Coordinates of all heavy atoms in Angstrom, one line a residue:
D296 N 14.5 -3.6 9.3 CA 14.7 -2.4 8.5 C 16.2 -2.3 8.1 O 16.5 -1.8 7.0 CB 14.4 -1.1 9.2 CG 12.8 -1.0 9.4 OD1 12.1 -1.7 8.7 OD2 12.4 -0.2 10.3
E297 N 17.1 -2.8 8.9 CA 18.5 -2.7 8.6 C 19.1 -4.0 8.0 O 20.3 -4.1 7.9 CB 19.3 -2.3 9.9 CG 18.9 -1.0 10.5 CD 18.9 0.2 9.6 OE1 19.9 0.2 8.8 OE2 18.0 1.0 9.6
G298 N 18.2 -4.9 7.6 CA 18.7 -6.2 7.0 C 19.5 -6.0 5.8 O 19.3 -5.1 5.0
R299 N 20.5 -7.0 5.6 CA 21.4 -7.0 4.5 C 20.6 -7.4 3.2 O 21.0 -7.0 2.1 CB 22.5 -7.9 4.8 CG 23.7 -7.8 3.8 CD 24.7 -8.9 4.2 NE 25.9 -8.7 3.4 CZ 26.8 -9.7 3.1 NH1 26.6 -10.9 3.6 NH2 27.9 -9.5 2.4
Y300 N 19.6 -8.3 3.4 CA 18.9 -8.8 2.3 C 17.5 -8.1 2.1 O 17.1 -7.3 3.0 CB 18.7 -10.3 2.5 CG 20.0 -11.1 2.5 CD1 20.7 -11.3 3.7 CD2 20.6 -11.6 1.3 CE1 21.8 -12.0 3.7 CE2 21.8 -12.3 1.4 CZ 22.4 -12.5 2.6 OH 23.6 -13.2 2.6
C301 N 16.8 -8.5 1.1 CA 15.5 -8.0 0.9 C 14.5 -9.2 0.8 O 14.9 -10.3 0.5 CB 15.4 -7.2 -0.4 SG 16.4 -5.7 -0.4
A302 N 13.2 -8.9 1.0 CA 12.2 -10.0 1.0 C 10.9 -9.5 0.6 O 10.5 -8.3 0.9 CB 12.2 -10.7 2.3
A303 N 10.1 -10.3 -0.1 CA 8.7 -10.0 -0.2 C 8.0 -10.4 1.1 O 8.3 -11.4 1.7 CB 8.1 -10.9 -1.4
T304 N 7.1 -9.6 1.5 CA 6.6 -9.7 2.9 C 5.4 -10.8 3.0 O 5.1 -11.2 4.1 CB 6.0 -8.4 3.4 OG1 5.0 -7.9 2.5 CG2 7.1 -7.4 3.5
I305 N 4.8 -11.2 1.9 CA 3.7 -12.1 1.9 C 4.1 -13.4 1.3 O 4.3 -13.5 0.1 CB 2.5 -11.5 1.2 CG1 2.1 -10.2 1.8 CG2 1.3 -12.5 1.2 CD1 1.0 -9.5 1.0
T306 N 4.2 -14.4 2.1 CA 4.4 -15.8 1.7 C 3.4 -16.7 2.4 O 2.7 -16.3 3.3 CB 5.8 -16.3 1.9 OG1 6.1 -16.4 3.3 CG2 6.9 -15.5 1.3
H307 N 3.2 -17.9 1.9 CA 2.3 -18.9 2.4 C 2.9 -20.2 2.6 O 3.8 -20.6 1.8 CB 1.1 -19.0 1.5 CG 0.3 -17.7 1.2 ND1 -0.7 -17.3 2.0 CD2 0.5 -16.8 0.3 CE1 -1.2 -16.2 1.5 NE2 -0.4 -15.8 0.5
K308 N 2.6 -20.9 3.7 CA 3.1 -22.2 4.0 C 1.9 -23.2 4.0 O 0.8 -23.0 4.5 CB 3.8 -22.3 5.3 CG 5.1 -21.5 5.3 CD 5.8 -21.6 6.7 CE 7.1 -20.8 6.7 NZ 7.8 -21.0 8.0
A309 N 2.1 -24.4 3.3 CA 1.1 -25.4 3.3 C 1.8 -26.7 3.0 O 2.9 -26.8 2.4 CB 0.1 -25.1 2.2
T310 N 1.2 -27.8 3.4 CA 1.7 -29.1 3.2 C 1.3 -29.6 1.8 O 0.3 -29.1 1.2 CB 1.2 -30.2 4.2 OG1 -0.2 -30.3 4.0 CG2 1.6 -29.8 5.6
L311 N 2.1 -30.5 1.2 CA 1.8 -31.1 -0.1 C 0.4 -31.7 -0.1 O -0.4 -31.6 -1.0 CB 2.8 -32.1 -0.5 CG 4.2 -31.6 -0.7 CD1 5.1 -32.8 -1.1 CD2 4.3 -30.6 -1.9
G312 N 0.1 -32.4 1.0 CA -1.3 -33.0 1.1 C -2.4 -32.0 1.1 O -3.4 -32.2 0.4
Y313 N -2.2 -30.8 1.8 CA -3.3 -29.8 1.7 C -3.4 -29.2 0.4 O -4.5 -28.9 -0.1 CB -3.0 -28.8 2.8 CG -4.1 -27.7 2.8 CD1 -5.4 -28.0 3.3 CD2 -3.8 -26.4 2.4 CE1 -6.4 -27.1 3.3 CE2 -4.8 -25.5 2.4 CZ -6.1 -25.8 2.9 OH -7.1 -24.9 2.9
I314 N -2.2 -29.0 -0.3 CA -2.2 -28.4 -1.6 C -3.0 -29.3 -2.6 O -3.9 -28.8 -3.3 CB -0.8 -28.2 -2.2 CG1 -0.1 -27.1 -1.3 CG2 -0.8 -27.8 -3.6 CD1 1.4 -27.1 -1.6
V315 N -2.8 -30.6 -2.5 CA -3.5 -31.5 -3.4 C -5.0 -31.6 -3.1 O -5.8 -31.6 -4.0 CB -2.8 -32.9 -3.3 CG1 -3.7 -33.9 -4.1 CG2 -1.4 -32.9 -3.9
E316 N -5.3 -31.5 -1.8 CA -6.7 -31.5 -1.3 C -7.4 -30.3 -1.9 O -8.6 -30.4 -2.4 CB -6.8 -31.5 0.2 CG -8.2 -31.4 0.8 CD -8.2 -31.2 2.3 OE1 -7.2 -31.6 2.9 OE2 -9.1 -30.6 2.8
C317 N -6.8 -29.1 -1.9 CA -7.4 -27.9 -2.5 C -7.6 -28.1 -4.0 O -8.7 -27.8 -4.5 CB -6.5 -26.7 -2.2 SG -6.5 -26.2 -0.5
L318 N -6.6 -28.6 -4.6 CA -6.6 -28.7 -6.1 C -7.7 -29.7 -6.5 O -8.4 -29.4 -7.5 CB -5.3 -29.1 -6.6 CG -4.1 -28.1 -6.5 CD1 -2.8 -28.7 -7.0 CD2 -4.4 -26.8 -7.3
N319 N -7.9 -30.7 -5.8 CA -9.0 -31.6 -6.1 C -10.4 -31.0 -6.0 O -11.3 -31.3 -6.8 CB -8.9 -32.9 -5.2 CG -7.8 -33.8 -5.7 OD1 -7.5 -33.9 -6.9 ND2 -7.1 -34.5 -4.8
K320 N -10.5 -30.1 -5.0 CA -11.8 -29.4 -4.8 C -12.0 -28.5 -6.0 O -13.1 -28.4 -6.6 CB -11.8 -28.6 -3.5 CG -11.9 -29.4 -2.3 CD -11.9 -28.5 -1.0 CE -12.0 -29.4 0.2 NZ -12.0 -28.5 1.5
F321 N -10.9 -27.8 -6.4 CA -11.1 -26.9 -7.6 C -11.4 -27.7 -8.9 O -12.3 -27.3 -9.7 CB -9.7 -26.2 -7.8 CG -9.2 -25.4 -6.7 CD1 -7.9 -25.1 -6.6 CD2 -10.1 -25.0 -5.6 CE1 -7.4 -24.4 -5.5 CE2 -9.6 -24.2 -4.5 CZ -8.2 -24.0 -4.5
H322 N -10.8 -28.9 -9.0 CA -11.0 -29.7 -10.1 C -12.5 -30.2 -10.2 O -13.1 -30.3 -11.3 CB -10.1 -31.0 -10.1 CG -10.4 -32.0 -11.1 ND1 -11.3 -33.0 -10.9 CD2 -9.8 -32.3 -12.3 CE1 -11.4 -33.8 -11.9 NE2 -10.5 -33.4 -12.8
D323 N -13.1 -30.5 -9.0 CA -14.4 -31.0 -9.0 C -15.5 -29.9 -9.0 O -16.7 -30.3 -9.1 CB -14.6 -31.8 -7.7 CG -13.7 -33.1 -7.7 OD1 -13.2 -33.5 -8.8 OD2 -13.5 -33.7 -6.6

């Protein structure tokens, strides 16, 4: 609450490999 900076509270972490795996499923 007393932080000097601000941030969006929702972020996501994923590897490049997993990102591409998901995109290929969407493509197909």
Side-chain angles (χ1 to χ4, degrees):
D296 292 341
E297 302 303 320
R299 190 183 189 205
Y300 297 92
C301 297
T304 58
I305 302 174
T306 63
H307 300 269
K308 292 181 179 180
T310 64
L311 294 179
Y313 182 69
I314 293 168
V315 172
E316 177 186 332
C317 290
L318 293 175
N319 283 328
K320 288 180 181 179
F321 305 156
H322 172 274
D323 294 343

